[in-house]
């Protein structure tokens, strides 16, 4: 289910994060249809460390306090899940509104659901009856299979394949080119290494790598959402 095209709302739309992903997102929006460009007309980048007068690709780079009294609409263009969670909670507390961005080239199946703040990048395939949570990054050329569930704050880097009936917990980071076998589960705040193939359940907070993916760090020394 794509966001319905609408005229640009009065609240400014901003990209949180002015790194590589933020700059890529600005370019992807520019390559979309007129209706999409109007809905997501980027007025600024936002970072917590913005310097006075700083700009990026012709747009101002501002701190969140620059919008005091005028809450913005936003997406977080940052891949690290714990950072996304921390920033989203802070901005929501200020009354900001998380937007869902789906690139025009993405193929979205029937009854697919995507949460607020989620970014679906070019050439992705989001299949029928899948459920993607809030503030999820689905980077270019990724696939999410039918009936899959992807939790809040996850990040799927390029060419990740989440197959049908997979369940992914909150805050999981998938390295580029990794894939999960149909019907398997990945626990919350786990990390799946670059190019790994998940053939069995991944425990929460574990780091797995390889083909087949094996646990290389059980995450026992990590506290909280990391």
């Amino acid at each position: 289910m794509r966001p319905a095209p609408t005229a640009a709302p009065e609240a400014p739309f901003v990209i949180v994060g002015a790194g590589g992903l933020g700059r890529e997102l600005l370019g992807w929006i520019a390559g979309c249809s007129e209706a999409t460009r109007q809905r997501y007309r980027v007025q600024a980048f936002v970072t917590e460390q913005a310097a006075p007068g700083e700009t990026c690709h012709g747009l101002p780079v501002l701190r969140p306090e620059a919008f005091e009294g005028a809450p913005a609409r936003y997406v977080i263009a940052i891949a690290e899940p714990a950072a996304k969670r921390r920033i989203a909670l802070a901005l929501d507390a200020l009354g900001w509104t998380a937007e869902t961005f789906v690139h025009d080239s993405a193929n979205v199946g029937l009854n697919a659901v995507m949460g607020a703040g989620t970014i679906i990048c070019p050439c992705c395939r989001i299949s029928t009856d899948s459920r993607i949570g809030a503030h999820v990054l689905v980077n270019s050329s990724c696939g999410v299979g039918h009936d899959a569930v992807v939790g809040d704050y996850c990040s799927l880097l390029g060419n990740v394949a989440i197959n049908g009936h997979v369940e992914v917990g909150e805050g999981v980071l998938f390295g580029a080119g990794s894939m999960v076998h149909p019907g398997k589960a990945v626990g919350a705040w786990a990390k799946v290494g670059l190019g790994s193939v998940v053939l069995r359940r991944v425990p929460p907070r574990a780091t797995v790598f390889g083909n087949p993916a094996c646990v290389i760090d059980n995450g026992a020394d990590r506290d909280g959402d990391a």
Side-chain angles (χ1 to χ4, degrees), residues 18-192:
L21 179 58
R23 290 180 278 118
E24 285 181 325
L25 179 57
L26 180 67
W28 290 329
I29 292 171
C32 285
S33 66
E34 176 65 20
T36 301
R37 292 198 305 272
Q38 285 301 314
R39 175 169 180 157
Y40 304 103
R41 185 163 55 88
V42 182
Q43 298 188 24
F45 290 96
V46 172
T47 70
E48 295 169 319
Q49 297 83 27
E54 184 179 354
T55 63
C56 180
H57 286 274
L59 293 173
V61 181
L62 305 173
R63 296 190 181 204
E65 51 264 34
F67 295 86
E68 186 174 357
R73 300 177 298 126
Y74 74 97
V75 292
I76 301 175
I78 296 171
E80 209 288 310
K84 283 195 291 186
R85 183 180 187 275
R86 176 182 60 80
I87 293 168
L89 292 175
L91 295 179
D92 292 347
L94 295 174
W96 291 33
T97 301
E99 286 276 358
T100 302
F101 172 75
V102 180
H103 192 271
D104 288 353
S105 66
N107 187 318
V108 179
L110 291 173
N111 298 318
V113 176
M114 290 158 283
T118 283
I119 300 173
I120 308 296
C121 297
C123 305
C124 290
R125 301 164 306 284
I126 310 300
S127 196
T128 300
D129 294 317
S130 58
R131 289 186 289 143
I132 298 175
H135 300 287
V136 174
L137 169 65
V138 184
N139 214 323
S140 297
S141 301
C142 289
V144 176
H146 63 84
D147 303 288
V149 177
V150 179
D152 297 345
Y153 309 112
C154 289
S155 287
L156 285 61
L157 305 186
N159 293 287
V160 170
I162 304 295
N163 283 290
H165 293 285
V166 166
E167 293 192 16
V168 179
E170 181 179 87
V172 177
L173 176 63
F174 290 90
S178 57
M179 61 182 66
V180 184
H181 191 272
K184 301 306 177 185
V186 180
W189 303 99
K191 297 180 181 180
V192 179

